[in-house]
Structure formats: C-alpha cells, structure tokens
C-alpha cells in the first residue's frame, strides 16, 4: 500500500467519495459526491469545512458531542493513555481505565445496576443486552423466554439482532429474514394519537397497556424483555407521558419480563441527567449506552446490568460474548475525562437550566404554517412538519423527498446549521446540540430553521 497525499481540494474529495468512500446511510449516487461537505475542524459548538465555512453543530455530531469539539482535556487524556498503554483486551485481563470507568458508571447508575460490560458502540450494546438476557433466562431455568418487545419506529441498532428489535420497517426490508421473536407496540407520539387524543396521561397509560397486551398474546413464558428509549428518537423525540414508565415497570414485574432502557442517545446529559431513567423516575434492569459517554471522541459503549441478572453468572457461567475493542483503554480514559468535564462544568445543571429557553426559542417557529409541533426535553428536540397545521395533514412521499431532502437539508447547511431532517416516520427536523450551548446558539438555530422552512412553504 503506497502512501499518497491527503486530498486538498473539493474535487479530490468528490472523486474519492465517488470512487472509494462509502458514506453511511447515504444514497449512493455519483452526482451527490460534489455536494458532500468535508469537515476538517471542530471548536466548541461549531465545525468547519475545508473551505473555512462554519456550521453550528446542532446535532452534536450524531447525538454524541456533549462537551463540544476540540476539548483539550479529552485530547490529553487520549494522548496520555496511548503513551502508557495504547491497547489491551478485556479477555481475562483488566486495565486501569476500564476499572475506573466501570466503578464510576456503577456509582452513577440507578438502583443496583452494578455490573458494566463494555462494547464499542450503541448498537453493539443492544446486541449484547439481548444475548445476555437470553442466557440469563436459560441459566434460571426459563429457556423459552427469548422474545423481545419494542416500539413502533424505534431505532435500536443495525446489527442483525439489534436491527430485529428496531421498529423501522424501511431499515429492515433489505436484510430480511432477520432474527425472529421480536414484536412491536405503539410508541408515545401523542401528536398523532387516535386513542385518547384528548388526554395525555390516559394516552400514555393506554400505550403502556399495549405492552402487556403483547406479552399476553405472545405468552408471558416466552417474553424476555422490553426495549425502550426514555425519549424515542425516530419519529422525533416522543416524550413519555406521566405514569407511562411506572405502568411499564409494573407490567414487566408482573410477567417476569426485563426492562431495558436504551440510552445510547439519552444518557450523560442529553436530558439533563446521567440517565433518562433518572429523569422519568423508573428503574430499569439493564441500561444500554454509548455516544455521549466519550462525547464521540473515541468509540465506546456500555451495558449496565443489575445484580439480579448477574447473579446466575456468578456461579461459574461464562457469557460467551465479547469484542476485540470493547472497553478499549484509550476509550475508557477519554470517557473518564469527558465525565470530569461534564461534572466540573455542571453541564447537567446547565441543560436543566436552559431547557425552557431552548423550548421557547424553537416555539417561535409556530408562526410558520409548515410547523406542526415542537416537542422534546432537555437538549433533545424535534420539529414535525405538516402540509396543513389545522388538519395535521402529512406530506406525500414525493413532497417529503422534494421539500425535506432536496430543499430543507441543503438550505440548513447553507445557513450554517448541521442538524437532521428525517422522514423515516413523519417529516421532522431534529436538534440535539452540544450541552455547552446557550441562548446565542438557540437563536442561531431558530434563524437558520426559519430561513430554511420559510423557503419550503411554497414548494408544498
């Protein structure tokens, strides 16, 4: 393999994208290569492309960069650890960063989630949790409990097991048949509710009861777990109604079903707490997480497991699962530095203190006829777009492509805002900026959104 100079011009990047670099979740059309921004630098809440254009990172990379870009504390932690021990696996050995981080996460986790299994990513954490749950029930004499229930349109990862739990039909069809034994229940999208549409609390309890209905239909002796995000991402930040998780916990306990809180996005400050379960007051049996654990500076995920689930493994059973880079020492060192920054700067308090201002700034967009609902919590928000605000009329598929993908996405980049325009469910724009952001960035987001959405109105 011969060395070659780094690409310097946009034309070089376009050629390499066209000929070599396969972008994730991106249509593979050669003509789009010319439109791919090449991001070369990050500082605080902003990133810069090779032409020097600045973009407000309104999505924290991909829901990850909690402490902002270019933080020397995290860079120095990675450098120190690389010099001392760049890599060693956790296969029968431990490393100081993994030990320190496991203890820290166990102390922060709610209840008795005292065991930590490290992974490389969030999807791998979900995959790990399902395998762990299956083995747990075999060890406890209930081998038929293997099925999983998740919510409609919920995203839980792309590996074959995690994708099977994922509730987005369009993400699954090209890879079927998938792992069997997964079932879907309604999510908590109250804006589109057809049941109890006049009562938010009653609607939440109705949605929770659909989980019990699914357990009974499948047979409680066959259902192992329910996987739920505290705030569901896909579809646009579905916040659980009051009482929802309390009811879910009761249902799970009644039928010996484990509750997995998938907090790959929601943990480490996105909602203003260590974990979303803390914000909404429920006790999971397992938490899966990644992303904000290192602020994206290194790939790392984790599964936090209750003492009850660990207990049958403590008698000599081996969990036949692992990965080369799970609990990588550099990743764990970066995570420790990241959590130090979060604590030292009280970023959880910062998020809670600014949540109302973020909400009110985005709600200014209600004066646009294309904005149906602004919803979310913490630093995790979505704007659902509609053809008609009064009737909540949806976009057609053609309109979603023309308005969302061809106009709004490009207009937002031109206005200097990186966020997410998503039409996997209803057309939404998602915002999840670094936790260091404040009113100046909120205003900047609102102005960029106003520019892009105003230009889209005549295209409907």
């Amino acid at each position: 393999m011969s060395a070659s100079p780094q690409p310097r011009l946009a034309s070089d990047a376009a050629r390499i994208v066209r000929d070599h670099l396969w972008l994730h979740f991106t249509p593979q059309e050669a003509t789009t290569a010319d439109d791919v921004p090449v991001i070369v630098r990050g500082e605080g809440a902003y990133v810069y492309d090779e032409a020097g254009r600045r973009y407000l990172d309104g999505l924290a990379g991909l829901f990850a960069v909690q402490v902002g870009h270019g933080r020397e504390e995290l860079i120095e932690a990675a450098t120190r650890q690389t010099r001392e021990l760049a890599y060693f696996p956790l296969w029968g050995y431990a490393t100081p960063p993994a030990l320190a981080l496991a203890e820290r996460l166990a102390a922060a986790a709610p209840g008795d989630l005292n065991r930590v299994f490290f992974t490389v990513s969030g999807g791998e954490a979900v995959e790990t949790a399902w395998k762990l749950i299956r083995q747990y029930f075999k060890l406890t004499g209930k081998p038929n409990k293997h099925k999983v229930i998740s919510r409609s349109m919920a995203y839980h990862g792309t590996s074959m097991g995690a994708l099977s739990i994922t509730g987005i039909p369009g993400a699954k069809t090209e890879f079927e048949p998938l792992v069997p034994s997964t079932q879907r229940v309604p999510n908590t999208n109250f804006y589109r509710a057809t049941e109890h549409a006049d009562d938010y609390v009653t609607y939440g309890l109705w949605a929770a009861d659909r989980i019990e209905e699914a357990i009974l239909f499948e047979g409680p002796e066959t259902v192992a777990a329910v996987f739920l995000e505290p705030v569901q991402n896909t579809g646009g930040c579905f916040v659980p109604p009051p009482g929802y998780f309390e009811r879910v916990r009761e249902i799970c306990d009644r039928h010996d079903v484990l509750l997995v809180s998938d907090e790959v996005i929601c943990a480490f400050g996105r909602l203003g707490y260590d974990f979303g379960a803390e914000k909404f007051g429920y006790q999971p049996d397992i938490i899966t997480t990644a992303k904000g654990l290192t602020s994206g500076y290194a790939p790392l995920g984790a599964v936090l497991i209750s003492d009850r689930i660990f207990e049958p493994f403590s008698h000599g059973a081996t969990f036949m699962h692992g990965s080369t880079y799970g609990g990588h020492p550099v990743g764990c060192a970066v995570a420790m530095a990241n959590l130090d920054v979060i604590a030292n700067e009280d970023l959880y308090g910062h998020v809670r203190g600014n949540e109302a201002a973020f909400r009110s700034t985005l709600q200014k967009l209600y004066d646009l006829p294309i904005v149906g609902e602004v919803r979310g919590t913490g630093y995790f928000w979505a704007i659902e777009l509609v053809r008609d605000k009064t009737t909540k009329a949806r976009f057609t598929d053609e309109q979603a492509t023309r308005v969302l993908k061809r106009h709004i996405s490009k207009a937002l980049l031109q206005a200097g805002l990186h966020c997410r325009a998503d039409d996997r469910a209803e057309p939404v724009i998602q915002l999840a900026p670094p936790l260091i952001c404040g009113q100046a960035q909120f205003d900047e987001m609102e102005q960029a959104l106003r520019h892009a959405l105003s230009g889209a109105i005549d295209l409907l």
Side-chain angles (χ1 to χ4, degrees):
M1 183 180 296
S2 60
S4 61
Q6 294 293 316
R8 296 177 181 273
L9 303 174
S11 58
D12 290 334
R15 173 182 58 79
I16 294 170
V17 168
R18 186 171 56 248
D19 296 342
H20 304 295
L21 179 60
W22 199 324
L23 301 176
H24 296 202
F25 289 101
T26 303
Q28 302 302 313
E29 300 174 11
T31 55
T32 66
D34 293 334
D35 300 328
V36 175
V38 180
I39 305 302
V40 299
R41 183 170 67 88
E43 183 178 351
Y46 298 88
V47 294
Y48 299 79
D49 69 15
E50 63 177 356
R53 289 185 291 265
R54 187 181 82 162
Y55 305 88
L56 173 59
D57 187 0
L59 203 64
L62 194 61
F63 310 104
V65 188
Q66 314 295 64
V67 300
H69 297 274
R71 295 300 297 250
E72 289 296 327
E73 303 95 319
L74 276 63
I75 298 166
E76 291 170 2
T79 302
R80 284 194 304 271
Q81 184 58 46
T82 302
R83 287 187 178 130
E84 187 166 322
L85 178 66
Y87 167 69
F88 208 75
L90 296 182
W91 293 44
Y93 300 86
T95 64
L99 291 168
L101 183 59
E103 186 173 48
R104 186 168 189 168
L105 292 178
D112 68 342
L113 275 65
N114 291 317
R115 297 287 172 167
V116 180
F117 190 100
F118 287 117
T119 66
V120 178
S121 69
E124 187 188 330
V126 170
E127 191 89 16
T128 299
W130 192 10
K131 290 178 70 175
L132 176 67
I133 289 165
R134 284 189 168 204
Q135 187 171 352
Y136 164 78
F137 278 116
K138 287 184 178 182
L139 290 173
T140 54
K142 300 176 182 178
N144 291 328
K145 288 181 79 70
H146 63 278
K147 297 177 183 177
V148 165
I149 293 169
S150 59
R151 292 186 292 203
S152 171
M153 298 308 298
Y155 177 82
H156 294 285
T158 55
S159 59
M160 293 300 276
L163 184 60
S164 301
I165 297 173
T166 289
I168 307 170
K172 301 156 75 91
T173 54
E174 298 298 331
F175 310 105
E176 293 174 334
L178 296 171
V179 181
S181 308
T182 67
Q183 300 296 328
R184 239 61 60 206
V185 295
N187 55 48
T188 59
N189 182 4
F190 186 61
Y191 183 68
R192 293 291 179 183
T194 57
E195 300 280 347
H196 306 290
D198 58 345
D199 189 325
Y200 187 45
V201 173
T202 301
Y203 170 76
L205 297 177
W206 170 85
D209 286 341
R210 303 288 71 74
I211 294 173
E212 183 163 42
E213 183 177 78
I215 292 171
L216 293 172
F217 180 83
E218 294 295 324
E221 71 282 0
T222 71
V223 179
V226 177
F227 280 67
L228 303 174
E229 296 170 280
V231 176
Q232 182 172 316
N233 175 35
T234 304
C237 297
F238 300 147
V239 179
Y244 173 82
F245 273 109
E246 182 180 2
R247 178 68 64 86
V248 171
R249 181 71 267 179
E250 292 170 357
I251 291 167
C252 289
D253 289 342
R254 186 154 53 242
H255 300 291
D256 190 22
V257 171
L258 301 181
L259 174 55
V260 181
S261 190
D262 184 355
E263 307 216 15
V264 172
I265 289 177
C266 291
F268 308 114
R270 182 58 48 197
L271 308 183
Y273 296 85
D274 282 307
F275 300 100
E278 181 183 358
K279 179 180 178 71
F280 296 113
Y282 65 95
Q283 179 60 54
D285 299 294
I286 292 176
I287 290 176
T288 55
T289 190
K291 292 187 184 290
L293 177 56
T294 65
S295 280
Y297 282 60
L300 185 68
V303 185
L304 282 59
I305 303 135
S306 73
D307 290 340
R308 176 169 70 96
I309 296 172
F310 176 76
E311 197 279 332
F313 291 88
S314 68
H315 304 295
T318 299
F319 180 36
M320 294 298 293
H321 179 74
S323 64
T324 301
Y325 296 124
H328 194 288
V330 175
C332 290
V334 170
M336 289 292 287
N338 177 60
L339 295 176
D340 283 344
V341 170
I342 289 173
N344 294 339
E345 299 183 7
D346 188 23
L347 291 184
Y348 296 169
H350 180 76
V351 169
R352 295 194 297 269
N354 282 280
E355 177 181 0
F358 198 0
R359 177 192 299 109
S360 63
T361 302
L362 294 178
Q363 286 177 340
K364 293 178 182 179
L365 297 168
Y366 271 133
D367 66 346
L368 300 176
I370 198 172
V371 174
E373 184 177 43
V374 175
R375 57 177 176 259
T377 186
Y379 272 32
F380 191 27
W381 293 87
I383 300 165
E384 182 167 334
L385 307 180
V386 293
R387 283 193 295 135
D388 185 287
K389 193 182 301 230
T390 303
T391 63
K392 303 181 184 179
R394 296 171 164 88
F395 286 14
T396 64
D397 290 343
E398 187 277 332
Q399 286 173 327
T401 297
R402 175 162 45 89
V403 174
L404 199 68
K405 295 179 180 178
R406 295 178 183 168
H407 172 75
I408 291 177
S409 293
K410 293 181 179 179
L412 288 170
L413 275 181
Q414 290 169 354
L417 177 62
H418 164 61
C419 59
R420 186 176 199 174
D422 188 3
D423 67 344
R424 291 175 295 176
E426 308 302 334
V428 297
I429 296 173
Q430 289 182 288
L431 298 156
L435 309 186
I436 60 173
C437 288
Q439 188 61 53
Q441 286 76 38
F442 303 158
D443 291 338
E444 194 174 339
M445 283 184 263
E446 190 270 338
Q447 288 300 307
L449 289 162
R450 182 172 296 279
H451 166 77
L453 296 178
S454 295
I457 293 171
D458 293 337
L459 299 177
L460 292 175

